Amino acid sequence: EDLYRQIQAGQTKELRIILKADVQGSLGAVVHALEQIQTEDIRINILHTGTGDITDNDILLASASNTLLLASGDEQEILETVFRSIADLLGAESFYHYRPSSDFEGLELVLAMGVGGEERRLFGRMKFGASLCGRVAQSRRRLIVEDLQRSLEPGSEALRGAGGASYAGFPLSAGSGLLGTVAFVSKRLTHFRDGEIRTIQSICDQVASTLERNRLMRSLQEAKGRLTMALDAGRAGIWESKPATGEFAATDAALKLFGLPRWRPLSHED
């Protein structure tokens, strides 16, 4: 009901679906039917399909997808909620979220859970290709290391020394390139359960899409701000046309420039 209200209000442009069926034949028929639906108001996005009972992985994927799709608050808080949910599913005690640094060729730790002061100092910054997270960033491919204490995986020395037993690292990539990485570490569990990695990869892909969307929105706002400052400095005005209604909107400067009153709606004739 809440989703329907948001669609009607134009707040949601995408319907994300996780589809489970009893047999593969039924699943294929439903997927085909959904793919035939054509609408300009909302896009149907099938995140995951499968047969059998609904699992904890399915519930997590649905919850995280909803959180990211409807996200409108603080980006850091939203990501922390999603990453904590993934860590709980995995049984991981900690996660590390890195972003590319603005002042050196490498990564900076921007969000973490279950990481003490010494570990923050040790893992706070790293070069591309260094350590496991640096390798994920450099290759832009996920990296899973199980039974970490016995592993000879290059770059695992620091986490092994910190007592890590398993590691799951994922790149966050979108059209503009690498947006960051996220890694989950357990000191108790040496292996991950079936299906978990695929679920987390799906969520990380959505996280990357959300980060890219937010980045583009910030860029547009900054560009609009710079344009407004330039126009103000040049005593110029801005016009906006609404083809659907035939109406125009204009800044005070534009109205003054053309000698039009502020209190009357504008039309093509103006």
Side-chain angles (χ1 to χ4, degrees), residues 60 63-64 67 75-88 95 111:
L60 172 63
S63 175
T67 298
E75 183 178 274
Q76 295 289 77
E77 291 182 4
I78 292 166
L79 292 180
E80 183 172 6
T81 297
V82 172
F83 292 153
R84 281 182 179 274
S85 298
I86 296 175
D88 288 342
F95 70 74
L111 194 62

Side-chain angles (χ1 to χ4, degrees), residues 239 246-252 254-256 258-270:
W239 291 86
E247 295 177 332
F248 283 87
T251 62
D252 289 346
L255 294 173
K256 184 177 180 181
F258 287 94
L260 295 172
R262 295 176 55 188
W263 57 85
R264 183 170 62 83
L266 302 176
S267 64
H268 283 285
E269 287 73 15
D270 292 316

